Amino acid sequence: MTDILEAPPVEFDTALAALYGDLADAVTKQQWAWSAVKSQARQNLNKSYRDKMTRDEVEAAVATARETFAAGDPGYEDAGWRTYYAASRLVEADDKEKAAAAVVDQVSDRIHEFKQAFHARGGWTRAYLVTNTGGHVHKSMDCSTCYYNRYDKYGDFKPGTSYAWLPELSDHDEAEIITAAGSDACTVC
């Protein structure tokens, strides 16, 4: 069997599209894990769920929890057991978030290999459908009418434009893609 990085464009892009699906799943799991870390950090600091915390504040709470957890379980006779238990929950949540982040990194690394192979092979045309109502078919995900995923200053995830890749149109000329897209073809890119 040929290495997928040397496969024909449609097969190559179909495999890469599946990796992007895996990345979306991994990012979702990381977002949920980060939400759990923030929630537990708020509880440990006796803050309301309405209180916003910056990433630095959350990371400081995690660092404090790790120190408390590393000191060991004081036992139920000691008044510090509640602090220890809360610290252990925050450490556990943070460990899950770090594991989820590692999966995101692994999938991202594999996607990077595909991108390098794509450019080394000289590239080919591609088509992407924006999945919102009235979304257009774009020739790249870098169109000025689209947005990137990001985190705000509080560490909350802000989703960008969502795409459905159309790998069946990979390596077709632009006129064929425009014909297939019809009135849904982006007029900017």
Side-chain angles (χ1 to χ4, degrees):
M1 178 177 152
T2 346
D3 180 27
I4 192 66
L5 297 177
E6 298 169 4
V10 170
E11 188 178 331
F12 178 101
D13 281 352
T14 300
L16 182 53
L19 276 174
Y20 274 112
D22 293 345
L23 181 62
D25 292 344
V27 166
T28 298
K29 287 177 183 171
Q30 183 184 13
Q31 291 167 356
W32 278 104
W34 176 245
S35 292
V37 170
K38 288 191 313 183
S39 176
Q40 189 59 50
R42 276 191 206 99
Q43 288 178 20
N44 287 20
L45 298 172
N46 296 316
K47 289 183 174 245
S48 163
Y49 70 92
R50 292 184 185 117
D51 293 333
K52 292 283 190 180
M53 292 180 67
T54 65
R55 183 170 280 274
D56 289 342
E57 290 172 320
V58 173
E59 289 174 358
V62 169
T64 301
R66 287 197 179 279
E67 289 172 13
T68 302
F69 187 67
D73 187 350
Y76 287 105
E77 292 77 35
D78 187 307
W81 72 269
R82 283 189 177 98
T83 303
Y84 174 82
Y85 180 66
S88 71
R89 290 183 304 181
L90 181 51
V91 167
E92 180 183 355
D94 187 55
D95 288 345
K96 286 180 181 178
E97 194 276 334
K98 286 185 179 2
V103 172
V104 168
D105 289 345
Q106 289 170 348
V107 176
S108 295
D109 289 347
R110 184 65 176 147
I111 288 171
H112 182 70
E113 291 175 25
F114 271 80
K115 287 179 174 182
Q116 286 180 319
F118 174 78
H119 291 295
R121 291 173 60 179
W124 48 80
T125 56
R126 290 175 163 166
Y128 307 89
L129 174 64
V130 170
T131 59
N132 67 358
T133 303
H136 293 99
V137 175
H138 297 269
K139 70 178 181 180
S140 80
M141 291 188 287
D142 293 325
C143 181
S144 63
T145 64
C146 302
Y147 303 92
Y148 291 105
N149 293 336
R150 64 183 177 80
Y151 287 90
D152 67 14
K153 69 179 184 176
Y154 299 107
D156 293 326
F157 182 75
K158 301 296 179 189
T161 301
S162 179
Y163 300 92
W165 199 348
L166 305 172
E168 65 275 9
L169 295 176
S170 292
D171 204 30
H172 286 71
D173 67 38
E174 200 167 304
E176 290 175 309
I177 294 171
I178 290 170
T179 300
S183 63
D184 290 333
C186 177
T187 57
V188 174
C189 68

